[in-house]
Amino acid sequence: MGGYLMQKHRALPAYVPGEHAEDDSFIRLNTNESPYPPSPSVAAAVAREVGQLSYYNDPDCTALRAALAGLYGVQPENVAVGNGSDELLAFAFYAFADADHPIALPDITYGYYDLFAAVYGIPLRRIPLKDDFTVDVDAFCGAGCMIVLTNPNAPTGYAISVDQIERIVRSNPQSVVLVDEAYIDFGAESCLPLIGKYDNLLIVRTYSKSRSMAGARIGYCFGCADLIAQLEVIRNALNLYSVSRMAQAAGEAAVAENDYYMDNCRRIMDTRRMTTDALREMGFEVLESLGNFIFARCPQMAGAQLAAALRQRGILVRRWDAPRISEYLRITIGTREQMETMLEAISAILV
Ligand code: PMP
């Protein structure tokens, strides 16, 4: 690589995303996308905005923030919107931590946090999940630094309760507790009611999973008005126009059709139940997930080998060469038909 990159960035690890398959030749169960399309009015809303593309988009995302505030029973000042939740997470890391203010997080969680911390020079305090992969809540209480928790966690799918989150938030008043609720619509309980009570709680969410719009790049977050204003200082300085006209309109249209998305979530939860039971029947260890994915280990075959065999049969799943989890596959819940195809493929591989 050329020599212009600042020395401090040269050792940055590369984020390794799930394999990107652009065509339909694969069943994509590796990036936790929704198998269902966006609701009908989204396409029309996007098309309308195309005619306005010569004009800048609203930097304040006024209509989308108002729509989200209405849907979730908060005020627009409690909401910020970003270009995918990854952007909001990156802004939050930059806003609320630095080289002298570390972040505590579980050792097994969403991998992009490592990159945000690395690029900003934020030290990470990794608090191991317990042996059963549950979050060590007591270890986070009174941590005395910013805390980042995915709830439900990825890739385990295990959630902690609102009471447990409240204990962590209450015991850590001098630092922000960021709860990433990317997968909250698949059965776990949101800690949203707590934002009225605590000024250090930031909840980050995404349209990429339950709202079928990973490619639109829409993230949003909730917090008390003052915390959101603090986050906006960084958003304002770095990328004020990051949520395109099309994304804002798509996001607003989706709020108006919320029932469609919640129906899809129920379908995914039913399919998760069916898939979990079927894999357990085949002898797999499957964690009881509250996400749109399951985390499963095959007793008869190494994880890497099984993932490769599934890929050969046109099915992509995700796995990591990481301590404690290298034998597990994270399998996104697709349609019932896709999961039946996957189960048949696994049966054929294991005979
Ligand atoms: N948080 C978690 C826990 C995730 O799994 C993901 C998606 N991989 C994200 C955030 C990022 O989502 P987005 O598409 O909104 O950037």
Side-chain angles (χ1 to χ4, degrees):
M1 210 191 288
Y4 299 111
L5 186 65
M6 289 295 111
Q7 195 63 43
K8 64 180 177 183
H9 299 316
R10 292 191 191 176
L12 275 182
Y15 180 67
V16 184
E19 177 177 348
H20 181 72
E22 197 55 53
D23 57 33
D24 284 337
S25 54
F26 283 102
I27 296 180
R28 292 178 282 196
L29 306 180
N30 64 335
T31 47
N32 292 349
E33 295 155 327
S34 173
Y36 303 111
S39 51
S41 70
V42 165
V46 169
R48 267 197 307 279
E49 291 304 316
V50 172
Q52 302 292 312
L53 271 179
S54 52
Y55 303 112
Y56 275 106
N57 46 322
D58 174 8
D60 297 326
C61 302
T62 313
L64 178 52
R65 284 172 48 233
L68 287 166
L71 178 63
Y72 289 109
V74 298
Q75 299 303 310
E77 310 83 78
N78 299 121
V79 187
V81 180
N83 183 279
S85 59
D86 279 338
E87 186 186 57
L88 290 170
L89 291 166
F91 289 164
F93 274 51
Y94 199 36
F96 303 124
D98 67 13
D100 302 318
H101 298 87
I103 290 178
L105 77 179
D107 61 339
I108 298 168
T109 189
Y110 179 41
Y112 227 135
Y113 304 142
D114 287 27
L115 275 290
F116 303 142
V119 77
Y120 299 135
I122 302 166
L124 291 179
R125 280 175 49 197
R126 293 177 210 275
I127 298 184
L129 294 182
K130 293 182 184 169
D131 287 343
D132 63 0
F133 287 145
T134 56
V135 170
D136 188 348
V137 173
D138 290 338
F140 282 97
C141 288
C145 64
M146 182 171 169
I147 292 170
V148 175
L149 292 169
T150 307
N151 198 49
N153 197 11
T156 61
Y158 282 162
I160 57 174
S161 69
V162 176
D163 287 348
Q164 289 173 310
I165 291 175
E166 181 161 16
R167 272 176 54 210
I168 294 170
V169 174
R170 196 178 31 206
S171 67
N172 206 46
Q174 65 283 54
S175 309
V176 169
V177 177
L178 188 162
V179 180
D180 182 342
E181 291 192 341
Y183 301 103
I184 199 67
D185 291 324
F186 303 101
E189 198 187 347
S190 172
C191 61
L192 182 57
L194 299 181
I195 64 161
K197 239 170 127 181
Y198 298 97
D199 65 1
N200 62 328
L201 173 62
L202 185 70
I203 302 171
V204 178
R205 299 222 188 140
T206 179
Y207 274 66
S208 298
K209 317 297 175 186
S210 56
R211 286 197 171 79
S212 302
M213 272 186 246
R217 314 304 305 131
I218 312 168
Y220 57 106
C221 63
F222 298 118
C224 78
D226 195 49
L227 189 65
I228 294 297
Q230 293 168 46
L231 184 68
E232 287 287 351
V233 170
I234 300 302
R235 198 180 77 85
N236 196 288
L238 288 178
N239 206 356
L240 188 55
Y241 289 94
S242 70
V243 187
S244 76
R245 279 186 170 279
M246 287 82 77
Q248 292 186 38
E252 199 188 336
V255 168
E257 291 176 317
N258 195 50
D259 291 351
Y260 166 83
Y261 296 99
M262 295 306 116
D263 280 350
N264 285 344
C265 288
R266 273 188 287 279
R267 244 172 242 137
I268 288 168
M269 288 187 267
D270 287 348
T271 310
R272 180 179 71 202
R273 178 78 273 141
M274 181 280 285
T275 311
T276 301
D277 293 347
L279 284 173
R280 284 182 181 158
E281 195 78 13
M282 292 161 79
F284 277 67
E285 178 202 337
V286 188
L287 276 58
E288 196 61 46
S289 171
L290 288 172
N292 65 339
F293 54 85
I294 50 175
F295 204 46
R297 190 171 64 87
C298 173
Q300 300 106 297
M301 190 181 273
Q305 206 186 339
L306 181 54
L310 282 167
R311 192 181 185 285
Q312 269 195 335
R313 287 171 163 76
I315 300 168
L316 299 178
V317 298
R318 191 92 150 96
R319 67 168 286 283
W320 292 267
D321 274 321
R324 298 214 275 165
I325 58 169
S326 62
E327 294 307 321
Y328 287 81
L329 303 183
R330 191 199 66 191
I331 305 169
T332 303
I333 303 297
T335 61
R336 202 176 174 92
E337 296 69 37
Q338 287 176 324
M339 302 322 279
E340 280 163 358
T341 305
M342 184 210 62
L343 291 166
E344 281 162 24
I346 290 179
S347 300
I349 291 164
L350 294 181
V351 285

